[in-house]
């Protein structure tokens, strides 16, 4: 009971948590011994809209044939059950890197859900899931600088790791005080456009969708994150890894998988993300990765061994995001001062001129250096070049 009380104080005040140790986290990896992953139904991406401290997101990543990269994201956050805020973010990276990044972040008004909590609405925004659960449509006129009209149609089943994709936090497994859940549509056909002040951009291409629910203060759940998305003509790969603060034993949780059209080749929680080279960022005192290696290990649903790797230099970063830059001063003083967090996101997509096998793929890779996915499925080895988007997040 005393541990629970200390944790509730930390939730409300934003302070660091006591050291509970690794025994206070039940990783989703523990579920994989019996259920490596679940192909989820549309009900599995229902908005939870928790009444307690939480951050819930739907994030859509696009790799356009034009070479553009984009992200559209809905954030639903609740602080201690006292205040709920919703935000819609749009970000565009231009292929020549000569134009500045377009970034729109807007607070939403009159937000809500449909009856089944499968679709999200707000003034000038609709993120709707189709009746058959295979397609999301994102339409936003929230910000005139980025008018969004995108459709994501999954071409392979979505998945979550284990039975429910959830890691639980707390000293009593029967009554956890926090949670972390992820679910993925790793391979989608994307159509539509984003209209900017300079004109309309066609975002026909491929993309991924990631649902996340952090059922506690984000800086209590994770101190560091790694994310990678790989898209090629034949394969898609995704990985999300986080490391807890010392309060939960600096435990590493890694979830992800590899798919192709119509098939999940592998999904599980036994993969790794490694920063093989770093350039120390003296401006903010974080070890910015300059080269990485992502490794997926596991088995197919038929028991065949799967090993895959994606490694190489990252080149210049696309962006370094100061997460607290737009936060109110009182939030900065609580989260940044008392809790000792300094959250920054490094966003990278390797870039250099490249040759490839098809005209559309050539256009998309003109300014994006392909990285090679080395895939071994039961001894059947394949190498596939594709586009990569990475994020490395440092919080505390």
């Amino acid at each position: 009971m005393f541990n629970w009380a200390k944790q509730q104080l930390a939730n409300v005040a934003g302070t660091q948590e006591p050291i509970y140790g690794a025994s206070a986290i039940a990783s989703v990896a523990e579920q994989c011994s019996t259920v490596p992953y679940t192909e989820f139904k549309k009900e599995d991406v229902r908005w939870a809209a928790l009444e307690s401290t939480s951050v819930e997101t739907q994030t859509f990543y696009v790799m356009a044939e034009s070479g553009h990269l984009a992200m559209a994201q809905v954030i639903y956050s609740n602080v201690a059950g006292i205040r709920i805020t919703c935000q819609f973010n749009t970000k565009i990276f231009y292929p020549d890197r000569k134009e500045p990044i377009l970034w729109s972040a807007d607070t939403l008004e009159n937000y809500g859900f449909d009856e089944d909590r499968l679709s999200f609405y707000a003034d000038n925004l609709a993120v709707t899931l189709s009746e058959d659960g295979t397609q999301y449509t994102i339409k936003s006129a929230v910000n005139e600088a980025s008018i969004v009209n995108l459709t994501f149609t999954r071409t392979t089943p979505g998945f979550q790791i284990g039975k429910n994709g959830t890691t639980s936090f707390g000293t009593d497994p029967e009554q956890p005080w926090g949670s972390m859940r992820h679910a993925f549509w790793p391979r989608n056909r994307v159509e539509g456009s984003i209209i900017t002040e300079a004109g309309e951009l066609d975002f026909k291409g491929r993309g991924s969708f990631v649902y996340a629910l952090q059922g506690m203060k984000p800086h209590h759940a994770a101190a560091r994150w790694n994310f990678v998305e790989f898209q090629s003509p034949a394969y898609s790969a995704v990985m999300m890894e986080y490391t807890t603060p010392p309060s939960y034993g600096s435990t590493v949780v890694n979830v992800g998988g590899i798919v192709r059209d119509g098939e999940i080749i592998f999904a599980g929680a036994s993969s790794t993300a490694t920063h093989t080279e770093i350039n120390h960022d003296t401006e903010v005192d974080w070890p910015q990765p300059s080269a990485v290696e992502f490794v997926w290990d596991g088995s197919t649903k038929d028991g065949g061994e799967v090993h895959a790797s994606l490694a190489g230099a990252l080149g210049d970063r696309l962006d370094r995001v100061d997460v607290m830059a737009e936060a109110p001063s009182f939030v900065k003083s609580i989260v940044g001062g008392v809790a000792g967090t300094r959250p920054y996101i490094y966003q990278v997509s390797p870039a250099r001129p490249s040759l490839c096998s098809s005209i559309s793929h050539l256009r998309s890779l003109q300014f994006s250096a392909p990285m090679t996915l080395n895939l071994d499925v039961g001894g059947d080895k394949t190498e596939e070049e594709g586009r990569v988007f990475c994020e490395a997040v440092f919080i505390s």
Side-chain angles (χ1 to χ4, degrees), residues 79-97:
V79 179
I82 299 171
R83 182 183 179 185
I84 296 173
T85 58
C86 295
Q87 184 167 304
F88 183 69
N89 300 328
T90 306
K91 194 167 193 175
I92 298 174
F93 301 102
Y94 291 84
D96 57 9
R97 305 201 180 184

Side-chain angles (χ1 to χ4, degrees), residues 303-350:
E305 291 187 3
V306 177
H307 175 82
S309 63
L310 186 67
L314 295 175
D316 295 336
R317 68 184 181 231
L318 289 170
D319 199 11
R320 183 188 64 199
V321 181
D322 179 356
V323 177
M324 299 297 290
E326 298 182 13
S329 58
F330 76 90
V331 174
K332 289 183 182 180
S333 65
I334 292 175
V335 177
V338 178
T341 60
R342 296 181 293 110
Y344 280 86
I345 304 172
Y346 292 94
Q347 296 175 320
V348 185
S349 182

Side-chain angles (χ1 to χ4, degrees), residues 66 95-97 349-354 362-369:
S66 62
D96 57 9
R97 305 201 180 184
S349 182
R352 65 175 182 267
S354 174
L362 172 61
R363 287 199 301 266
S364 70
L365 288 176
Q366 183 179 4
F367 294 99
S368 179

Side-chain angles (χ1 to χ4, degrees), residues 1-306:
M1 179 66 182
F2 183 56
N3 280 336
W4 179 88
K6 289 190 291 184
Q7 199 279 332
Q8 297 308 307
L9 174 62
N11 262 350
V12 175
T15 56
Q16 287 181 319
E17 294 187 281
I19 301 298
Y20 305 115
S23 63
I25 178 172
S27 171
V28 68
E30 297 175 15
Q31 302 177 25
C32 292
S33 60
T34 55
V35 182
Y37 68 90
T38 306
E39 292 187 14
F40 62 75
K41 303 175 183 178
K42 68 177 185 178
E43 291 78 10
D44 293 318
V45 287
R46 176 179 284 125
W47 286 89
L50 299 181
E51 296 181 358
S52 55
T53 297
S54 58
V55 178
E56 190 169 9
T57 59
Q58 289 190 343
T59 308
F60 301 85
Y61 298 93
V62 192
M63 294 181 174
E65 291 181 359
S66 62
H68 293 78
L69 297 171
M71 177 193 77
Q73 180 183 60
V74 178
I75 303 175
Y76 181 100
S77 62
N78 186 332
V79 179
I82 299 171
R83 182 183 179 185
I84 296 173
T85 58
C86 295
Q87 184 167 304
F88 183 69
N89 300 328
T90 306
K91 194 167 193 175
I92 298 174
F93 301 102
Y94 291 84
D96 57 9
R97 305 201 180 184
K98 295 178 181 178
E99 299 180 63
I101 297 166
L102 190 153
W103 167 245
S104 302
D106 299 278
T107 301
L108 299 173
E109 302 293 340
N110 298 314
Y111 51 82
F113 310 95
D114 66 349
E115 185 176 355
D116 294 326
R117 296 207 310 276
L118 296 173
S119 299
F120 179 92
Y121 302 98
D123 287 350
N124 300 311
L125 175 71
V127 180
T128 57
L129 181 63
S130 63
E131 183 64 28
D132 63 3
T134 64
Q135 185 179 89
Y136 270 105
T137 301
I138 307 103
K139 294 186 176 182
S140 170
V142 174
N143 192 314
E144 292 184 357
S146 54
I147 299 175
V148 179
N149 185 3
L150 296 172
T151 300
F152 278 64
T153 304
R154 63 176 175 84
T155 60
T156 194
F159 66 82
Q160 58 190 358
I161 303 306
K163 299 176 182 178
N164 54 24
T166 303
T167 291
S168 298
F169 297 76
T171 51
D172 182 354
E174 300 300 319
Q175 294 182 312
W177 57 53
S179 64
M180 181 81 77
R181 177 174 180 256
H182 290 94
F184 304 92
W185 284 10
R187 188 169 178 86
N188 300 267
R189 182 178 68 254
V190 183
E191 297 174 305
S193 66
I194 300 177
I195 300 174
T196 71
E197 294 177 348
E200 185 174 9
L201 299 175
D202 185 356
F203 274 94
K204 180 182 179 181
R206 296 187 183 89
S208 65
F209 161 66
V210 180
Y211 168 85
L213 173 60
Q214 301 180 55
M216 57 200 301
K217 281 187 174 291
H219 59 287
H220 288 171
R224 300 192 177 191
W225 290 86
N226 286 293
F227 170 74
V228 64
E229 173 192 6
F230 171 89
Q231 298 287 350
S232 76
Y235 299 96
S236 297
V238 65
M239 182 187 295
M240 185 78 75
E241 178 185 277
Y242 61 93
T243 304
T244 70
S247 49
Y248 296 100
S250 298
T251 301
V252 177
V253 180
N254 184 305
V255 295
I258 299 173
V259 305
R260 57 189 167 199
D261 285 340
E263 180 187 4
I264 297 172
I265 298 172
F266 154 79
S270 56
S271 303
T272 59
T274 306
H275 298 175
T276 55
E277 296 180 20
I278 61 171
N279 287 327
H280 192 78
D281 186 348
T282 57
E283 292 183 5
V284 297
D285 197 26
W286 283 124
Q288 176 186 335
S290 56
V292 293
E293 181 180 32
F294 300 98
V295 176
W296 290 262
D297 277 310
S299 59
T300 66
K301 61 183 178 182
D302 297 324
E305 291 187 3
V306 177

